[in-house]
Amino acid sequence: MDESDNTSLLGAAMVSGAQKVGASVVDRALGAIVDFVKDKYGKAKIELGTVFQRYLKNATERYNKVKTLATGQTSREIIGPDSIYVNIGLSYENQEIDTSTVEPMLNISKNILIVGTGGIGKSMLMRYLFLVTAELGEHVPVLVELRRINKQPSDQLSILELIYTCMEDFNVKLPREQFEYSLVSGKYLFLFDGLDEVNTSLSAETAEALQKFSAKYPKNPCIITSRPYEGFSPLETYTTMEPMTLRKEQAVRLAEKIRPEDEKAQEFCRQLEEFLYDTHKSFAENPLLLSMMFLTFMRNSSIPDHLSDFYQKAFDALYSIHDSTDKGSYRRDFRCKALNEESFKRLFAHFCFHSYMDEAYEFTKDDILKRLQNSINKLNLEIIDKDYLTDLRNSVCMIIKDGDMFRFSHRSFQTYFAAYYTAHVLTDEQQKKLFSSLLSMPQAYWKRDYYTLLVQIEPERFAINALADDLRKLVEAATRSNNRNEFILKSLCPGVYLSKDRIGIIPQPHSFIVEIFFIDIIHSMSRNFAIKNDSIDVIRGYAEATVHSSISHILNFSKIDTSDCTEAERERLYSAIISCLGLDNAYQEISDWLSEIDAKSESLKRYNFIDEL
């Protein structure tokens, strides 16, 4: 089904308002649930049916209204005449799965794990699937925000308790015994959003609890979303899918929906179609980054090339979005008038840094005010915490209120400003101690986006403070090996995985270095890096001949070294892996770089060091 046809169909279906939503579900799935429970509880039809009608009505009213960075404080619809939503497909085994309804996904598996990077549209897709299933589907949808499980005791995690909590937010009191019994009917669709927002200390236990829940009630489809990370081992029965990035026509369609009557917005859409999508594809194919592109263009009439510059420009656009003198605009009044933009930004960065390190992504009012006051005290500012919170919400749209909780408009801003604070405020010694602590943690992989931004903000300083000491040890050890680049590869990771047409490394816990961007550092040092397609073919051929895992093509180095392949085949395979990862000259590149920073350090001891700066 064409996306525009689908929007038209659903818009017509929902034109009568939220009161209509739930009626068709009650006639089908909810009716089946009530009939199933009625045999045991007699009058349960009145209680359970009424409760779910109220839940679907109230949840639909809430989930169909959304605020985005591009729309600011104006709520827009996911489905309807004011829709801001563009359907994204899912990728599974190199095929695109239609998401206009949930059925194509469920035809593949009843247990689905959607893994995608931040801003790709996972949460918006979950809202959309809830809405379309409530109106046109064959299940009763229940949307569950997994971050709520952080409030449960670590030794008493309960998915059922989490479901009750999320549903009771919509002014319903679920009859628990009847509901639990009704789960056997298999007529529910559970949409668990944001596994990556669960605290790392609870992530494995939460994944295991989800697996047990879906195993206990196997007839109910379960869909889980998360950013990529290495903690999914308990979800062995879940089929992994990835959100598709926006194609050019989808990106243009989404941009056209933001401010269709604005002439400058129309110019952005024209440039997006003619060349901006192609020149800034890594931004334009991501819905969040595309919205930030839009805001940045509306203020600057141009788009930065680097992600860190991009976040900076996007924040500047949000900070000053109402300061222009264009027709119809106005200047939004800040409560904290004593703060200039730089002080405002640094205060927010301190708050982001500490909440990010605490893995705090959602706050009660008391919690966020306490954290803001701590930041205000740290920076010796004379402002009121409540006023600053108001400015964060209303003036720069960094914080939004969702029910009784406060959260970031998007977590990527928290990550960027945590990196900003690290780069612009912390001393070298503070950075070294911080990185030494963070990089030795088993959960270091979770902070990949944070490190990636630091690499962009200050690549050499990050490399010196975070990696230089261990790189020196690595080079010294590699010097004594027969194949130095192969030694470096095996020191970085226990193996690699092959997915579609790319190769990636498997991070290992307690590694002395965060491998995933160590390779980015190597690439930044290298001047002639390029992946060779014939190397991919060599690896794929070996993987298909000797599959080591039912999950995907995973090549474990210890298994390669003990396999029956000849020494020549083994050397050819390792050579291909090293080439695909851009590590052909790793030993020499690292050695040269270390020599450069040693020379710079030595120059500081000379009297005329200023001339060499």
Side-chain angles (χ1 to χ4, degrees), residues 255-256 258-272 276 293-303 317 321 324-327:
E256 289 173 340
I258 299 174
R259 298 182 198 170
E261 306 301 326
D262 189 291
E263 291 184 3
K264 195 168 186 179
Q266 293 170 5
E267 174 62 18
F268 172 76
C269 294
R270 184 190 68 77
Q271 292 191 23
L272 184 65
L276 272 180
M293 276 183 70
F294 176 88
L295 289 175
T296 304
F297 183 89
M298 295 297 284
R299 184 181 188 225
N300 302 293
S301 300
S302 63
I303 307 296
I321 197 167
S324 68
T325 56
D326 294 342
K327 182 179 178 181

Side-chain angles (χ1 to χ4, degrees), residues 88 119-121 245-246 254 283-292:
I88 59 170
I120 197 66
T245 55
L246 294 174
L254 177 56
F283 297 163
E285 64 186 6
N286 179 293
L288 170 72
L289 299 183
L290 177 62
S291 297
M292 292 167 62

Side-chain angles (χ1 to χ4, degrees), residues 39 53 58 71 77 121 170 200 206 249 268 303 320-321 347-349 404 420 547 551 577:
D39 291 339
Q53 283 180 324
N58 294 347
T71 61
E77 296 175 324
F170 294 96
T200 53
T206 300
E249 60 271 21
F268 172 76
I303 307 296
S320 307
I321 197 167
L347 177 56
F348 184 57
D404 294 329
Y420 175 93
V547 176
I551 300 174
I577 293 172

Side-chain angles (χ1 to χ4, degrees), residues 5-16:
D5 295 337
N6 179 56
T7 300
S8 175
L9 169 65
L10 293 172
M14 297 185 70
V15 72
S16 61

Side-chain angles (χ1 to χ4, degrees), residues 409-449:
S409 56
H410 197 276
R411 280 177 54 195
S412 61
F413 274 111
Q414 182 193 29
T415 308
Y416 166 73
F417 277 102
Y420 175 93
Y421 187 82
T422 305
H424 294 286
V425 179
L426 299 189
T427 66
D428 287 337
E429 290 305 311
Q430 287 174 322
Q431 280 197 12
K432 288 178 181 179
K433 189 169 183 178
L434 173 68
F435 296 145
S436 176
S437 173
L438 293 179
L439 296 179
S440 63
M441 296 172 61
Q443 304 91 352
Y445 182 89
W446 280 69
K447 291 182 170 53
R448 173 182 177 177
D449 293 344

Side-chain angles (χ1 to χ4, degrees), residues 30 33-52 175 177-179 181-182:
L30 186 52
I33 290 172
V34 170
D35 289 341
F36 178 80
V37 177
K38 184 169 60 175
D39 291 339
K40 180 175 182 179
Y41 290 95
K43 296 182 179 180
K45 181 175 182 179
I46 299 175
E47 188 176 4
L48 196 64
T50 302
V51 165
F52 265 99
E177 185 179 355
Q178 296 168 18
F179 171 67
Y181 179 75
S182 73

Side-chain angles (χ1 to χ4, degrees), residues 181-355:
Y181 179 75
S182 73
L183 290 172
V184 181
S185 69
K187 288 296 183 178
Y188 295 102
L189 168 66
F190 290 103
L191 303 165
F192 296 103
D193 189 32
L195 180 56
D196 59 293
E197 296 187 39
V198 176
N199 291 343
T200 53
S201 59
L202 301 177
S203 60
E205 190 176 353
T206 300
E208 184 177 0
L210 287 166
Q211 178 65 73
K212 289 180 178 178
F213 177 82
S214 56
K216 186 175 181 179
Y217 306 107
K219 294 182 180 179
N220 298 299
C222 293
I223 301 176
I224 301 173
T225 66
S226 179
R227 292 187 184 188
Y229 85 116
E230 299 301 308
F232 295 138
S233 55
L235 296 171
E236 66 269 8
T237 66
Y238 277 72
T239 298
T240 300
M241 299 183 182
E242 298 178 3
M244 303 284 287
T245 55
L246 294 174
R247 297 186 293 272
K248 180 186 289 188
E249 60 271 21
Q250 292 175 308
V252 173
R253 190 183 306 134
L254 177 56
E256 289 173 340
K257 287 172 175 278
I258 299 174
R259 298 182 198 170
E261 306 301 326
D262 189 291
E263 291 184 3
K264 195 168 186 179
Q266 293 170 5
E267 174 62 18
F268 172 76
C269 294
R270 184 190 68 77
Q271 292 191 23
L272 184 65
E273 185 166 20
E274 291 185 2
F275 63 88
L276 272 180
Y277 181 89
D278 298 314
T279 58
H280 291 72
K281 187 176 180 181
S282 62
F283 297 163
E285 64 186 6
N286 179 293
L288 170 72
L289 299 183
L290 177 62
S291 297
M292 292 167 62
M293 276 183 70
F294 176 88
L295 289 175
T296 304
F297 183 89
M298 295 297 284
R299 184 181 188 225
N300 302 293
S301 300
S302 63
I303 307 296
D305 292 326
H306 297 291
L307 191 60
S308 59
D309 295 335
F310 186 44
Y311 278 105
Q312 179 65 63
K313 294 290 187 183
F315 177 84
D316 291 344
L318 288 166
Y319 186 89
S320 307
I321 197 167
H322 294 291
D323 289 352
S324 68
T325 56
D326 294 342
K327 182 179 178 181
S329 69
Y330 63 95
R331 181 178 178 86
R332 180 169 289 162
D333 191 22
F334 281 82
R335 295 279 188 92
C336 298
K337 295 180 175 62
L339 294 183
N340 58 26
E341 182 174 353
E342 185 59 34
S343 297
F344 189 101
K345 188 187 305 179
R346 181 161 293 205
L347 177 56
F348 184 57
H350 183 275
F351 166 74
C352 289
F353 175 82
H354 285 278
S355 58

